[in-house]
Amino acid sequence: MAEGHGRERTAIMANDFVLVGPAADPARVRGQPVTDALRSIAHAAAPFVSRADDSGTHARERSLWREAGVEPAGTWYMEIGQGMGEALRIASERAGYTISDRATYLALSRSLLLDVLVEGDDGLRNVYSVITTARGRNRTGADSLAGWLAGADGQRRIGTFGAEQFGRSLFEPLAPAD
């Protein structure tokens, strides 16, 4: 946007990340603010699985470690270079912790020995926006998609996505009402 490539940004929806770990919670992080929880994990040298794959989730994790004032390193901090499903599986197998998007955790939770231990923290909020471009081949189509996502039907679908399968919507609609 700052460089003039984007024309308009509209917040469309949000979901959240969660800090998950073993029910026994050896680092005693349950219910803490996320940065305090990360400090507790590091202090306890409790196993932590990082995607370490340069994904958005990994970028948020690194940002949260910085906010916590911790440079994670050592045998307790496992960088796997793989996706969320594998990070959750390894954390479950090693009775460790990880940061996951809620949707992936919910989709796999029946096969995991992990509980949501930290949620609802502002640092775990994940906002998705649509940005229309200042130039491009199909500007009309891009504008149409952005309008649909921000419109009543798109927002209704976003607000109900996953509710039937998981008992709650996986996304919160954010576009302002028309």
Side-chain angles (χ1 to χ4, degrees):
M1 294 292 289
E3 294 178 14
H5 302 290
R7 189 166 32 94
E8 184 177 3
R9 175 191 300 264
T10 304
I12 296 298
M13 62 188 173
N15 67 359
D16 62 341
F17 297 108
V18 290
L19 177 68
V20 298
D25 190 17
R28 302 190 197 298
V29 304
R30 189 181 304 273
Q32 291 185 13
V34 68
T35 52
D36 291 348
L38 291 174
R39 283 191 287 273
S40 294
I41 291 167
H43 180 73
F48 186 94
V49 179
S50 173
R51 288 177 62 161
D53 64 353
D54 292 327
S55 64
T57 303
H58 180 234
R60 179 61 60 88
E61 175 211 321
R62 296 297 299 158
S63 171
L64 290 168
W65 283 115
R66 279 191 301 278
E67 288 176 34
V70 175
E71 182 58 44
T75 57
W76 63 272
Y77 185 74
M78 294 168 266
E79 295 180 294
I80 64 168
Q82 297 183 52
M84 196 71 260
E86 192 65 8
L88 286 162
R89 186 188 66 74
I90 292 170
S92 181
E93 289 175 355
R94 301 207 179 169
Y97 298 88
T98 194
I99 292 175
S100 175
D101 64 282
R102 187 180 297 272
T104 304
Y105 170 76
L106 287 172
L108 300 176
S109 63
R110 289 188 184 111
S111 65
L112 302 171
L113 298 173
L114 299 171
D115 288 353
V116 173
L117 301 174
V118 177
E119 62 185 328
D121 187 290
D122 285 345
L124 296 172
R125 187 163 169 78
N126 190 26
V127 175
Y128 296 81
S129 297
V130 63
I131 300 172
T132 53
T133 58
R135 48 194 165 280
R137 285 185 240 185
N138 190 358
R139 189 169 165 174
T140 302
D143 287 346
S144 179
L145 174 62
W148 183 83
L149 287 169
D153 189 41
Q155 290 291 285
R156 181 188 57 74
R157 288 179 187 228
I158 288 167
T160 59
F161 183 78
E164 190 172 309
Q165 183 176 359
F166 299 112
R168 63 172 286 180
S169 175
L170 297 180
F171 297 96
E172 169 194 352
L174 294 180
D178 294 26

